[in-house]
Protein backbone atom coordinates (compact mmCIF):
# COMPACT_ATOMS: atom_id res chain seq x y z
CA UNK A 1 0.00 0.00 0.00
CA UNK A 2 2.74 2.49 0.95
CA UNK A 3 4.25 1.99 -2.47
CA UNK A 4 1.14 2.90 -4.41
CA UNK A 5 0.70 6.26 -6.11
CA UNK A 6 -2.23 8.06 -4.49
CA UNK A 7 -5.11 9.33 -6.60
CA UNK A 8 -6.13 12.99 -6.81
CA UNK A 9 -9.07 14.01 -4.63
CA UNK A 10 -11.94 14.88 -6.95
CA UNK A 11 -14.51 16.07 -4.49
CA UNK A 12 -14.21 16.99 -0.88
CA UNK A 13 -17.15 15.56 1.04
CA UNK A 14 -18.15 14.46 4.53
CA UNK A 15 -15.99 11.36 4.27
CA UNK A 16 -13.00 13.54 3.41
CA UNK A 17 -13.66 15.69 6.49
CA UNK A 18 -13.91 12.60 8.70
CA UNK A 19 -10.70 11.23 7.23
CA UNK A 20 -8.90 14.54 7.87
CA UNK A 21 -10.03 14.61 11.50
CA UNK A 22 -9.02 11.03 12.15
CA UNK A 23 -5.65 11.57 10.45
CA UNK A 24 -5.01 14.61 12.67
CA UNK A 25 -5.90 12.46 15.69
CA UNK A 26 -3.43 9.78 14.56
CA UNK A 27 -0.71 12.34 13.87
CA UNK A 28 -0.97 14.00 17.30
CA UNK A 29 -1.36 10.64 19.00
CA UNK A 30 1.81 9.23 17.47
CA UNK A 31 3.13 11.97 17.86
CA UNK A 32 4.35 13.03 14.43
CA UNK A 33 4.52 16.23 12.42
CA UNK A 34 2.86 14.93 9.27
CA UNK A 35 0.71 12.15 7.89
CA UNK A 36 -0.36 11.19 4.39
CA UNK A 37 -3.73 9.51 3.78
CA UNK A 38 -2.04 6.47 2.27
CA UNK A 39 -0.42 5.84 5.68
CA UNK A 40 -3.86 5.17 7.12
CA UNK A 41 -4.79 3.00 4.15
CA UNK A 42 -6.52 5.57 1.93
CA UNK A 43 -4.48 6.18 -1.22
CA UNK A 44 -5.68 9.69 -2.07
CA UNK A 45 -3.61 12.86 -2.39
CA UNK A 46 -4.21 14.36 1.02
CA UNK A 47 -1.83 15.23 3.83
CA UNK A 48 -2.11 16.74 7.29
CA UNK A 49 0.86 18.33 9.01
CA UNK A 50 1.83 20.47 11.96
CA UNK A 51 5.48 21.07 12.62
CA UNK A 52 4.56 22.30 16.12
CA UNK A 53 2.82 19.01 16.85
CA UNK A 54 4.79 18.48 20.05
CA UNK A 55 3.72 21.80 21.64
CA UNK A 56 0.35 20.63 22.90
CA UNK A 57 -1.65 23.10 20.83
CA UNK A 58 -3.42 21.45 17.93
CA UNK A 59 -3.53 23.43 14.73
CA UNK A 60 -3.30 20.94 11.86
CA UNK A 61 -2.78 22.14 8.31
CA UNK A 62 -4.48 20.21 5.53
CA UNK A 63 -3.24 20.07 2.00
CA UNK A 64 -5.16 18.34 -0.77
CA UNK A 65 -3.70 17.53 -4.19
CA UNK A 66 -0.38 19.21 -3.30
CA UNK A 67 2.12 19.98 -6.00
CA UNK A 68 5.63 21.27 -5.50
CA UNK A 69 6.04 24.14 -7.96
CA UNK A 70 9.42 25.39 -6.81
CA UNK A 71 12.25 23.82 -4.83
CA UNK A 72 15.60 25.37 -4.04
CA UNK A 73 18.57 25.12 -1.71
CA UNK A 74 19.48 22.10 0.29
CA UNK A 75 19.08 20.95 3.87
CA UNK A 76 19.98 17.77 5.71
CA UNK A 77 17.59 16.68 8.41
CA UNK A 78 17.30 13.51 10.46
CA UNK A 79 13.97 12.03 9.39
CA UNK A 80 11.73 9.33 10.74
CA UNK A 81 8.34 8.11 9.65
CA UNK A 82 5.30 6.66 11.38
CA UNK A 83 5.27 3.96 8.69
CA UNK A 84 8.96 3.04 8.97
CA UNK A 85 9.44 1.34 12.32
CA UNK A 86 12.30 2.32 14.55
CA UNK A 87 14.59 4.02 12.09
CA UNK A 88 15.80 7.52 11.43
CA UNK A 89 18.39 8.76 9.00
CA UNK A 90 19.79 11.96 7.56
CA UNK A 91 18.09 12.91 4.32
CA UNK A 92 19.06 15.73 1.99
CA UNK A 93 16.17 17.73 0.56
CA UNK A 94 15.40 21.17 -0.78
CA UNK A 95 15.58 23.85 1.91
CA UNK A 96 12.74 25.92 0.47
CA UNK A 97 9.66 24.88 -1.45
CA UNK A 98 6.56 26.44 -2.90
CA UNK A 99 3.59 24.14 -2.88
CA UNK A 100 0.12 24.64 -4.26
CA UNK A 101 -3.00 22.68 -3.54
CA UNK A 102 -6.36 23.20 -1.87
CA UNK A 103 -7.44 23.28 1.77
CA UNK A 104 -10.18 21.17 3.38
CA UNK A 105 -12.82 23.55 2.05
CA UNK A 106 -11.50 23.41 -1.49
CA UNK A 107 -9.95 26.87 -1.37
CA UNK A 108 -6.70 27.22 -3.31
CA UNK A 109 -3.54 27.37 -1.24
CA UNK A 110 -0.09 28.66 -2.08
CA UNK A 111 2.40 27.72 0.56
CA UNK A 112 5.99 28.82 0.93
CA UNK A 113 7.90 26.71 3.39
CA UNK A 114 11.47 26.49 4.56
CA UNK A 115 13.61 24.34 6.82
CA UNK A 116 11.61 21.81 8.85
CA UNK A 117 8.31 22.80 7.20
CA UNK A 118 9.86 22.28 3.76
CA UNK A 119 11.28 18.91 4.83
CA UNK A 120 7.92 17.85 6.23
CA UNK A 121 6.03 18.80 3.06
CA UNK A 122 8.51 17.00 0.82
CA UNK A 123 8.39 13.89 3.03
CA UNK A 124 4.57 13.80 2.99
CA UNK A 125 4.25 14.56 -0.72
CA UNK A 126 6.72 11.72 -1.36
CA UNK A 127 4.24 9.39 0.34
CA UNK A 128 1.62 10.34 -2.27
CA UNK A 129 4.02 9.09 -4.91
CA UNK A 130 4.84 5.85 -3.10
CA UNK A 131 8.25 7.12 -1.99
CA UNK A 132 9.60 6.63 1.53
CA UNK A 133 12.41 8.61 3.17
CA UNK A 134 14.54 5.45 3.23
CA UNK A 135 14.60 5.70 -0.57
CA UNK A 136 16.69 8.84 -0.14
CA UNK A 137 19.35 7.25 2.07
CA UNK A 138 22.32 5.24 0.91
CA UNK A 139 21.83 1.60 0.00
CA UNK A 140 24.20 0.68 2.83
CA UNK A 141 22.04 2.34 5.46
CA UNK A 142 18.96 0.87 3.86
CA UNK A 143 20.33 -2.64 4.03
CA UNK A 144 21.22 -2.15 7.69
CA UNK A 145 17.62 -1.15 8.29
CA UNK A 146 16.27 -4.15 6.37
CA UNK A 147 18.38 -6.50 8.48
CA UNK A 148 17.19 -4.81 11.66
CA UNK A 149 13.58 -5.06 10.51
CA UNK A 150 13.99 -8.74 9.72
CA UNK A 151 15.31 -9.37 13.22
CA UNK A 152 12.38 -7.48 14.74
CA UNK A 153 9.92 -9.53 12.68
CA UNK A 154 11.59 -12.77 13.73
CA UNK A 155 11.32 -11.81 17.39
CA UNK A 156 7.63 -11.11 16.99
CA UNK A 157 6.73 -14.38 15.30
ZN1 LIG B 1 6.42 9.32 6.49
Amino acid sequence: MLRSVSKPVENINGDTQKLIDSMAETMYGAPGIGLAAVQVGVPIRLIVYDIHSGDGKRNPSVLINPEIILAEGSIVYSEACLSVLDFSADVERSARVKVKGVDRNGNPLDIEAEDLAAVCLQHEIDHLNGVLFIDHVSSLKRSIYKRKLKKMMEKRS
Side-chain angles (χ1 to χ4, degrees):
M1 173 65 96
L2 285 168
R3 290 304 188 180
S4 59
V5 175
S6 296
K7 294 212 162 59
V9 177
E10 270 156 26
N11 54 63
I12 298 165
N13 54 30
D15 288 342
T16 323
Q17 304 297 346
K18 267 187 231 154
L19 174 66
I20 289 167
D21 293 338
S22 89
M23 282 171 62
E25 205 54 45
T26 303
M27 175 178 75
Y28 290 115
I33 61 169
L35 192 70
V38 66
Q39 292 181 272
V40 294
V42 187
I44 60 171
R45 305 187 81 80
L46 189 160
I47 65 176
V48 299
Y49 64 99
D50 179 357
I51 59 165
H52 302 293
S53 175
D55 296 357
K57 275 178 292 179
R58 294 187 173 198
N59 184 25
S61 295
V62 176
L63 193 49
I64 296 171
N65 298 337
E67 243 181 278
I68 295 175
I69 51 174
L70 191 98
E72 58 183 19
S74 109
I75 185 172
V76 174
Y77 198 86
S78 174
E79 295 187 26
C81 177
L82 302 180
S83 302
V84 179
L85 295 171
D86 236 5
F87 185 68
S88 62
D90 285 348
V91 177
E92 184 177 358
R93 296 190 187 268
S94 302
R96 287 172 297 281
V97 291
K98 275 189 193 174
V99 181
K100 66 170 192 171
V102 299
D103 69 10
R104 66 186 299 167
N105 301 310
N107 301 314
L109 285 176
D110 261 299
I111 296 165
E112 286 185 40
E114 56 180 18
D115 302 332
L116 179 56
V119 167
C120 176
L121 284 170
Q122 290 169 87
H123 177 120
E124 298 312 327
I125 292 170
D126 265 359
H127 274 303
L128 306 183
N129 298 319
V131 174
L132 299 174
F133 82 95
I134 49 174
D135 300 332
H136 295 288
V137 308
S138 70
S139 55
L140 174 67
K141 276 193 189 156
R142 203 157 51 229
S143 68
I144 292 171
Y145 174 64
K146 277 186 189 152
R147 242 177 295 153
K148 191 170 153 187
L149 195 63
K150 200 168 159 237
K151 268 191 207 148
M152 288 194 318
M153 296 299 199
E154 281 165 3
K155 264 190 212 155
R156 279 184 196 182
S157 57

PDB file of all heavy atoms in Angstrom, residues 9 20 23 35 44-49 60-67 99-104 107-111 121 125 128:
ATOM      1  N   VAL A   9      -7.752  13.886  -5.259  1.00  0.00           N
ATOM      2  CA  VAL A   9      -9.068  14.013  -4.627  1.00  0.00           C
ATOM      3  C   VAL A   9      -9.955  14.790  -5.589  1.00  0.00           C
ATOM      4  O   VAL A   9      -9.612  15.902  -5.994  1.00  0.00           O
ATOM      5  CB  VAL A   9      -8.951  14.777  -3.286  1.00  0.00           C
ATOM      6  CG1 VAL A   9     -10.321  14.982  -2.663  1.00  0.00           C
ATOM      7  CG2 VAL A   9      -8.025  14.022  -2.327  1.00  0.00           C
ATOM      8  N   ILE A  20      -9.836  13.505   7.420  1.00  0.00           N
ATOM      9  CA  ILE A  20      -8.898  14.541   7.867  1.00  0.00           C
ATOM     10  C   ILE A  20      -8.831  14.566   9.392  1.00  0.00           C
ATOM     11  O   ILE A  20      -7.743  14.576   9.986  1.00  0.00           O
ATOM     12  CB  ILE A  20      -9.316  15.929   7.309  1.00  0.00           C
ATOM     13  CG1 ILE A  20      -9.071  15.982   5.800  1.00  0.00           C
ATOM     14  CG2 ILE A  20      -8.572  17.044   8.040  1.00  0.00           C
ATOM     15  CD1 ILE A  20      -9.730  17.163   5.095  1.00  0.00           C
ATOM     16  N   MET A  23      -7.101  11.507  10.720  1.00  0.00           N
ATOM     17  CA  MET A  23      -5.653  11.574  10.447  1.00  0.00           C
ATOM     18  C   MET A  23      -4.959  12.511  11.425  1.00  0.00           C
ATOM     19  O   MET A  23      -3.852  12.225  11.907  1.00  0.00           O
ATOM     20  CB  MET A  23      -5.400  12.036   9.003  1.00  0.00           C
ATOM     21  CG  MET A  23      -5.594  10.938   7.962  1.00  0.00           C
ATOM     22  SD  MET A  23      -5.529  11.590   6.271  1.00  0.00           S
ATOM     23  CE  MET A  23      -3.856  12.255   6.188  1.00  0.00           C
ATOM     24  N   LEU A  35       1.286  13.460   8.217  1.00  0.00           N
ATOM     25  CA  LEU A  35       0.709  12.151   7.889  1.00  0.00           C
ATOM     26  C   LEU A  35       0.035  12.245   6.525  1.00  0.00           C
ATOM     27  O   LEU A  35      -0.677  13.212   6.246  1.00  0.00           O
ATOM     28  CB  LEU A  35      -0.316  11.755   8.963  1.00  0.00           C
ATOM     29  CG  LEU A  35      -0.802  10.312   8.946  1.00  0.00           C
ATOM     30  CD1 LEU A  35       0.296   9.338   9.373  1.00  0.00           C
ATOM     31  CD2 LEU A  35      -2.014  10.151   9.874  1.00  0.00           C
ATOM     32  N   ILE A  44      -5.289   8.461  -1.370  1.00  0.00           N
ATOM     33  CA  ILE A  44      -5.682   9.691  -2.065  1.00  0.00           C
ATOM     34  C   ILE A  44      -4.684  10.789  -1.706  1.00  0.00           C
ATOM     35  O   ILE A  44      -4.005  10.710  -0.682  1.00  0.00           O
ATOM     36  CB  ILE A  44      -7.129  10.138  -1.716  1.00  0.00           C
ATOM     37  CG1 ILE A  44      -7.264  10.410  -0.210  1.00  0.00           C
ATOM     38  CG2 ILE A  44      -8.132   9.077  -2.171  1.00  0.00           C
ATOM     39  CD1 ILE A  44      -8.593  11.052   0.168  1.00  0.00           C
ATOM     40  N   ARG A  45      -4.636  11.824  -2.557  1.00  0.00           N
ATOM     41  CA  ARG A  45      -3.608  12.859  -2.391  1.00  0.00           C
ATOM     42  C   ARG A  45      -4.041  13.888  -1.347  1.00  0.00           C
ATOM     43  O   ARG A  45      -4.530  14.963  -1.661  1.00  0.00           O
ATOM     44  CB  ARG A  45      -3.265  13.494  -3.751  1.00  0.00           C
ATOM     45  CG  ARG A  45      -2.836  12.454  -4.789  1.00  0.00           C
ATOM     46  CD  ARG A  45      -2.328  13.065  -6.067  1.00  0.00           C
ATOM     47  NE  ARG A  45      -0.956  13.493  -5.967  1.00  0.00           N
ATOM     48  CZ  ARG A  45       0.114  12.702  -6.075  1.00  0.00           C
ATOM     49  NH1 ARG A  45      -0.030  11.408  -6.281  1.00  0.00           N
ATOM     50  NH2 ARG A  45       1.325  13.199  -5.990  1.00  0.00           N
ATOM     51  N   LEU A  46      -3.798  13.526  -0.103  1.00  0.00           N
ATOM     52  CA  LEU A  46      -4.210  14.358   1.021  1.00  0.00           C
ATOM     53  C   LEU A  46      -3.196  14.186   2.151  1.00  0.00           C
ATOM     54  O   LEU A  46      -2.836  13.061   2.480  1.00  0.00           O
ATOM     55  CB  LEU A  46      -5.606  13.902   1.462  1.00  0.00           C
ATOM     56  CG  LEU A  46      -6.391  14.712   2.493  1.00  0.00           C
ATOM     57  CD1 LEU A  46      -7.863  14.349   2.392  1.00  0.00           C
ATOM     58  CD2 LEU A  46      -5.912  14.522   3.894  1.00  0.00           C
ATOM     59  N   ILE A  47      -2.743  15.305   2.692  1.00  0.00           N
ATOM     60  CA  ILE A  47      -1.826  15.233   3.835  1.00  0.00           C
ATOM     61  C   ILE A  47      -2.281  16.178   4.951  1.00  0.00           C
ATOM     62  O   ILE A  47      -2.939  17.190   4.681  1.00  0.00           O
ATOM     63  CB  ILE A  47      -0.355  15.581   3.443  1.00  0.00           C
ATOM     64  CG1 ILE A  47      -0.230  17.035   2.981  1.00  0.00           C
ATOM     65  CG2 ILE A  47       0.155  14.657   2.343  1.00  0.00           C
ATOM     66  CD1 ILE A  47       1.213  17.469   2.673  1.00  0.00           C
ATOM     67  N   VAL A  48      -1.963  15.812   6.172  1.00  0.00           N
ATOM     68  CA  VAL A  48      -2.106  16.745   7.287  1.00  0.00           C
ATOM     69  C   VAL A  48      -0.719  16.923   7.891  1.00  0.00           C
ATOM     70  O   VAL A  48       0.104  16.003   7.854  1.00  0.00           O
ATOM     71  CB  VAL A  48      -3.100  16.268   8.379  1.00  0.00           C
ATOM     72  CG1 VAL A  48      -4.499  16.089   7.821  1.00  0.00           C
ATOM     73  CG2 VAL A  48      -2.625  14.977   9.022  1.00  0.00           C
ATOM     74  N   TYR A  49      -0.446  18.105   8.405  1.00  0.00           N
ATOM     75  CA  TYR A  49       0.860  18.326   9.012  1.00  0.00           C
ATOM     76  C   TYR A  49       0.779  19.453  10.030  1.00  0.00           C
ATOM     77  O   TYR A  49      -0.131  20.296   9.980  1.00  0.00           O
ATOM     78  CB  TYR A  49       1.933  18.620   7.949  1.00  0.00           C
ATOM     79  CG  TYR A  49       1.713  19.899   7.176  1.00  0.00           C
ATOM     80  CD1 TYR A  49       2.405  21.068   7.516  1.00  0.00           C
ATOM     81  CD2 TYR A  49       0.830  19.952   6.114  1.00  0.00           C
ATOM     82  CE1 TYR A  49       2.212  22.246   6.814  1.00  0.00           C
ATOM     83  CE2 TYR A  49       0.612  21.135   5.399  1.00  0.00           C
ATOM     84  CZ  TYR A  49       1.309  22.273   5.755  1.00  0.00           C
ATOM     85  OH  TYR A  49       1.102  23.445   5.066  1.00  0.00           O
ATOM     86  N   PRO A  60      -3.766  21.688  13.030  1.00  0.00           N
ATOM     87  CA  PRO A  60      -3.298  20.942  11.858  1.00  0.00           C
ATOM     88  C   PRO A  60      -3.546  21.686  10.543  1.00  0.00           C
ATOM     89  O   PRO A  60      -4.575  22.333  10.379  1.00  0.00           O
ATOM     90  CB  PRO A  60      -4.133  19.660  11.912  1.00  0.00           C
ATOM     91  CG  PRO A  60      -5.371  20.036  12.649  1.00  0.00           C
ATOM     92  CD  PRO A  60      -4.963  21.096  13.639  1.00  0.00           C
ATOM     93  N   SER A  61      -2.582  21.629   9.662  1.00  0.00           N
ATOM     94  CA  SER A  61      -2.776  22.139   8.307  1.00  0.00           C
ATOM     95  C   SER A  61      -3.146  20.964   7.417  1.00  0.00           C
ATOM     96  O   SER A  61      -2.660  19.850   7.593  1.00  0.00           O
ATOM     97  CB  SER A  61      -1.487  22.773   7.786  1.00  0.00           C
ATOM     98  OG  SER A  61      -1.168  23.905   8.549  1.00  0.00           O
ATOM     99  N   VAL A  62      -4.026  21.237   6.471  1.00  0.00           N
ATOM    100  CA  VAL A  62      -4.480  20.206   5.535  1.00  0.00           C
ATOM    101  C   VAL A  62      -4.121  20.660   4.136  1.00  0.00           C
ATOM    102  O   VAL A  62      -4.295  21.823   3.781  1.00  0.00           O
ATOM    103  CB  VAL A  62      -6.011  20.028   5.631  1.00  0.00           C
ATOM    104  CG1 VAL A  62      -6.501  19.016   4.596  1.00  0.00           C
ATOM    105  CG2 VAL A  62      -6.409  19.601   7.034  1.00  0.00           C
ATOM    106  N   LEU A  63      -3.594  19.740   3.371  1.00  0.00           N
ATOM    107  CA  LEU A  63      -3.242  20.071   2.000  1.00  0.00           C
ATOM    108  C   LEU A  63      -3.724  18.934   1.097  1.00  0.00           C
ATOM    109  O   LEU A  63      -3.381  17.775   1.301  1.00  0.00           O
ATOM    110  CB  LEU A  63      -1.727  20.270   1.909  1.00  0.00           C
ATOM    111  CG  LEU A  63      -1.114  20.895   0.676  1.00  0.00           C
ATOM    112  CD1 LEU A  63      -1.804  22.187   0.263  1.00  0.00           C
ATOM    113  CD2 LEU A  63       0.364  21.166   0.925  1.00  0.00           C
ATOM    114  N   ILE A  64      -4.562  19.323   0.138  1.00  0.00           N
ATOM    115  CA  ILE A  64      -5.159  18.338  -0.765  1.00  0.00           C
ATOM    116  C   ILE A  64      -4.610  18.571  -2.177  1.00  0.00           C
ATOM    117  O   ILE A  64      -4.460  19.718  -2.605  1.00  0.00           O
ATOM    118  CB  ILE A  64      -6.705  18.470  -0.738  1.00  0.00           C
ATOM    119  CG1 ILE A  64      -7.212  18.125   0.669  1.00  0.00           C
ATOM    120  CG2 ILE A  64      -7.364  17.572  -1.780  1.00  0.00           C
ATOM    121  CD1 ILE A  64      -8.682  18.418   0.894  1.00  0.00           C
ATOM    122  N   ASN A  65      -4.296  17.489  -2.844  1.00  0.00           N
ATOM    123  CA  ASN A  65      -3.696  17.529  -4.189  1.00  0.00           C
ATOM    124  C   ASN A  65      -2.473  18.454  -4.256  1.00  0.00           C
ATOM    125  O   ASN A  65      -2.376  19.305  -5.156  1.00  0.00           O
ATOM    126  CB  ASN A  65      -4.739  17.965  -5.241  1.00  0.00           C
ATOM    127  CG  ASN A  65      -5.909  16.999  -5.330  1.00  0.00           C
ATOM    128  OD1 ASN A  65      -5.789  15.830  -4.964  1.00  0.00           O
ATOM    129  ND2 ASN A  65      -7.039  17.470  -5.809  1.00  0.00           N
ATOM    130  N   PRO A  66      -1.549  18.307  -3.321  1.00  0.00           N
ATOM    131  CA  PRO A  66      -0.379  19.206  -3.303  1.00  0.00           C
ATOM    132  C   PRO A  66       0.563  18.962  -4.471  1.00  0.00           C
ATOM    133  O   PRO A  66       0.698  17.826  -4.940  1.00  0.00           O
ATOM    134  CB  PRO A  66       0.317  18.852  -1.986  1.00  0.00           C
ATOM    135  CG  PRO A  66      -0.054  17.445  -1.728  1.00  0.00           C
ATOM    136  CD  PRO A  66      -1.452  17.272  -2.260  1.00  0.00           C
ATOM    137  N   GLU A  67       1.149  20.042  -4.908  1.00  0.00           N
ATOM    138  CA  GLU A  67       2.118  19.980  -6.003  1.00  0.00           C
ATOM    139  C   GLU A  67       3.268  20.916  -5.669  1.00  0.00           C
ATOM    140  O   GLU A  67       3.039  22.093  -5.363  1.00  0.00           O
ATOM    141  CB  GLU A  67       1.454  20.525  -7.265  1.00  0.00           C
ATOM    142  CG  GLU A  67       1.314  19.537  -8.405  1.00  0.00           C
ATOM    143  CD  GLU A  67       0.667  20.249  -9.578  1.00  0.00           C
ATOM    144  OE1 GLU A  67      -0.575  20.373  -9.572  1.00  0.00           O
ATOM    145  OE2 GLU A  67       1.413  20.724 -10.459  1.00  0.00           O
ATOM    146  N   VAL A  99       4.530  25.233  -2.631  1.00  0.00           N
ATOM    147  CA  VAL A  99       3.588  24.142  -2.882  1.00  0.00           C
ATOM    148  C   VAL A  99       2.211  24.737  -3.110  1.00  0.00           C
ATOM    149  O   VAL A  99       1.799  25.660  -2.410  1.00  0.00           O
ATOM    150  CB  VAL A  99       3.534  23.178  -1.666  1.00  0.00           C
ATOM    151  CG1 VAL A  99       2.572  22.027  -1.938  1.00  0.00           C
ATOM    152  CG2 VAL A  99       4.920  22.638  -1.348  1.00  0.00           C
ATOM    153  N   LYS A 100       1.516  24.220  -4.123  1.00  0.00           N
ATOM    154  CA  LYS A 100       0.125  24.640  -4.264  1.00  0.00           C
ATOM    155  C   LYS A 100      -0.783  23.440  -4.104  1.00  0.00           C
ATOM    156  O   LYS A 100      -0.378  22.280  -4.289  1.00  0.00           O
ATOM    157  CB  LYS A 100      -0.097  25.367  -5.581  1.00  0.00           C
ATOM    158  CG  LYS A 100       0.063  24.522  -6.805  1.00  0.00           C
ATOM    159  CD  LYS A 100      -0.414  25.285  -8.039  1.00  0.00           C
ATOM    160  CE  LYS A 100      -0.518  24.291  -9.188  1.00  0.00           C
ATOM    161  NZ  LYS A 100      -1.152  24.829 -10.369  1.00  0.00           N
ATOM    162  N   GLY A 101      -2.013  23.731  -3.751  1.00  0.00           N
ATOM    163  CA  GLY A 101      -2.997  22.683  -3.539  1.00  0.00           C
ATOM    164  C   GLY A 101      -4.279  23.345  -3.085  1.00  0.00           C
ATOM    165  O   GLY A 101      -4.470  24.546  -3.317  1.00  0.00           O
ATOM    166  N   VAL A 102      -5.164  22.581  -2.440  1.00  0.00           N
ATOM    167  CA  VAL A 102      -6.361  23.195  -1.868  1.00  0.00           C
ATOM    168  C   VAL A 102      -6.498  22.771  -0.409  1.00  0.00           C
ATOM    169  O   VAL A 102      -5.957  21.753   0.008  1.00  0.00           O
ATOM    170  CB  VAL A 102      -7.657  22.832  -2.652  1.00  0.00           C
ATOM    171  CG1 VAL A 102      -7.587  23.327  -4.093  1.00  0.00           C
ATOM    172  CG2 VAL A 102      -7.935  21.342  -2.614  1.00  0.00           C
ATOM    173  N   ASP A 103      -7.234  23.596   0.357  1.00  0.00           N
ATOM    174  CA  ASP A 103      -7.438  23.276   1.765  1.00  0.00           C
ATOM    175  C   ASP A 103      -8.675  22.384   1.917  1.00  0.00           C
ATOM    176  O   ASP A 103      -9.278  21.964   0.934  1.00  0.00           O
ATOM    177  CB  ASP A 103      -7.516  24.557   2.614  1.00  0.00           C
ATOM    178  CG  ASP A 103      -8.789  25.371   2.343  1.00  0.00           C
ATOM    179  OD1 ASP A 103      -9.702  24.861   1.643  1.00  0.00           O
ATOM    180  OD2 ASP A 103      -8.860  26.509   2.835  1.00  0.00           O
ATOM    181  N   ARG A 104      -9.081  22.124   3.162  1.00  0.00           N
ATOM    182  CA  ARG A 104     -10.175  21.172   3.383  1.00  0.00           C
ATOM    183  C   ARG A 104     -11.517  21.698   2.908  1.00  0.00           C
ATOM    184  O   ARG A 104     -12.497  20.953   2.834  1.00  0.00           O
ATOM    185  CB  ARG A 104     -10.235  20.739   4.858  1.00  0.00           C
ATOM    186  CG  ARG A 104     -10.610  21.836   5.824  1.00  0.00           C
ATOM    187  CD  ARG A 104     -10.498  21.357   7.260  1.00  0.00           C
ATOM    188  NE  ARG A 104     -11.405  20.238   7.542  1.00  0.00           N
ATOM    189  CZ  ARG A 104     -11.326  19.468   8.633  1.00  0.00           C
ATOM    190  NH1 ARG A 104     -10.371  19.677   9.523  1.00  0.00           N
ATOM    191  NH2 ARG A 104     -12.171  18.491   8.843  1.00  0.00           N
ATOM    192  N   ASN A 107     -10.543  25.582  -0.994  1.00  0.00           N
ATOM    193  CA  ASN A 107      -9.946  26.867  -1.372  1.00  0.00           C
ATOM    194  C   ASN A 107      -8.495  26.684  -1.779  1.00  0.00           C
ATOM    195  O   ASN A 107      -7.758  25.940  -1.131  1.00  0.00           O
ATOM    196  CB  ASN A 107     -10.004  27.850  -0.198  1.00  0.00           C
ATOM    197  CG  ASN A 107     -11.423  28.108   0.262  1.00  0.00           C
ATOM    198  OD1 ASN A 107     -12.307  28.340  -0.558  1.00  0.00           O
ATOM    199  ND2 ASN A 107     -11.645  28.019   1.552  1.00  0.00           N
ATOM    200  N   PRO A 108      -8.080  27.369  -2.871  1.00  0.00           N
ATOM    201  CA  PRO A 108      -6.695  27.224  -3.314  1.00  0.00           C
ATOM    202  C   PRO A 108      -5.694  27.721  -2.268  1.00  0.00           C
ATOM    203  O   PRO A 108      -5.950  28.701  -1.577  1.00  0.00           O
ATOM    204  CB  PRO A 108      -6.627  28.081  -4.583  1.00  0.00           C
ATOM    205  CG  PRO A 108      -7.884  28.831  -4.677  1.00  0.00           C
ATOM    206  CD  PRO A 108      -8.880  28.254  -3.724  1.00  0.00           C
ATOM    207  N   LEU A 109      -4.592  27.015  -2.178  1.00  0.00           N
ATOM    208  CA  LEU A 109      -3.536  27.368  -1.240  1.00  0.00           C
ATOM    209  C   LEU A 109      -2.227  27.509  -1.994  1.00  0.00           C
ATOM    210  O   LEU A 109      -1.940  26.740  -2.911  1.00  0.00           O
ATOM    211  CB  LEU A 109      -3.337  26.252  -0.217  1.00  0.00           C
ATOM    212  CG  LEU A 109      -4.342  26.060   0.907  1.00  0.00           C
ATOM    213  CD1 LEU A 109      -3.960  24.825   1.710  1.00  0.00           C
ATOM    214  CD2 LEU A 109      -4.351  27.289   1.808  1.00  0.00           C
ATOM    215  N   ASP A 110      -1.457  28.494  -1.598  1.00  0.00           N
ATOM    216  CA  ASP A 110      -0.090  28.655  -2.079  1.00  0.00           C
ATOM    217  C   ASP A 110       0.784  28.743  -0.854  1.00  0.00           C
ATOM    218  O   ASP A 110       0.661  29.694  -0.087  1.00  0.00           O
ATOM    219  CB  ASP A 110       0.035  29.956  -2.880  1.00  0.00           C
ATOM    220  CG  ASP A 110      -0.038  29.691  -4.362  1.00  0.00           C
ATOM    221  OD1 ASP A 110       0.842  28.964  -4.860  1.00  0.00           O
ATOM    222  OD2 ASP A 110      -0.977  30.210  -5.008  1.00  0.00           O
ATOM    223  N   ILE A 111       1.622  27.758  -0.671  1.00  0.00           N
ATOM    224  CA  ILE A 111       2.404  27.715   0.563  1.00  0.00           C
ATOM    225  C   ILE A 111       3.884  27.864   0.256  1.00  0.00           C
ATOM    226  O   ILE A 111       4.403  27.214  -0.653  1.00  0.00           O
ATOM    227  CB  ILE A 111       2.153  26.385   1.301  1.00  0.00           C
ATOM    228  CG1 ILE A 111       0.697  26.319   1.734  1.00  0.00           C
ATOM    229  CG2 ILE A 111       3.070  26.228   2.509  1.00  0.00           C
ATOM    230  CD1 ILE A 111       0.265  24.939   2.141  1.00  0.00           C
ATOM    231  N   LEU A 121       6.870  18.837   4.264  1.00  0.00           N
ATOM    232  CA  LEU A 121       6.031  18.799   3.065  1.00  0.00           C
ATOM    233  C   LEU A 121       6.598  17.853   2.012  1.00  0.00           C
ATOM    234  O   LEU A 121       5.862  17.072   1.401  1.00  0.00           O
ATOM    235  CB  LEU A 121       5.876  20.211   2.484  1.00  0.00           C
ATOM    236  CG  LEU A 121       4.906  21.115   3.247  1.00  0.00           C
ATOM    237  CD1 LEU A 121       5.000  22.551   2.740  1.00  0.00           C
ATOM    238  CD2 LEU A 121       3.473  20.603   3.105  1.00  0.00           C
ATOM    239  N   ILE A 125       4.615  14.614   0.705  1.00  0.00           N
ATOM    240  CA  ILE A 125       4.254  14.559  -0.725  1.00  0.00           C
ATOM    241  C   ILE A 125       4.906  13.335  -1.375  1.00  0.00           C
ATOM    242  O   ILE A 125       4.304  12.686  -2.239  1.00  0.00           O
ATOM    243  CB  ILE A 125       4.597  15.886  -1.425  1.00  0.00           C
ATOM    244  CG1 ILE A 125       3.667  16.998  -0.893  1.00  0.00           C
ATOM    245  CG2 ILE A 125       4.461  15.767  -2.954  1.00  0.00           C
ATOM    246  CD1 ILE A 125       4.033  18.404  -1.305  1.00  0.00           C
ATOM    247  N   LEU A 128       2.691  10.379  -1.261  1.00  0.00           N
ATOM    248  CA  LEU A 128       1.622  10.342  -2.269  1.00  0.00           C
ATOM    249  C   LEU A 128       2.118   9.711  -3.561  1.00  0.00           C
ATOM    250  O   LEU A 128       1.328   9.282  -4.404  1.00  0.00           O
ATOM    251  CB  LEU A 128       1.084  11.755  -2.536  1.00  0.00           C
ATOM    252  CG  LEU A 128       0.622  12.536  -1.292  1.00  0.00           C
ATOM    253  CD1 LEU A 128       0.054  13.878  -1.702  1.00  0.00           C
ATOM    254  CD2 LEU A 128      -0.415  11.737  -0.505  1.00  0.00           C
TER     255      LEU A 128
END
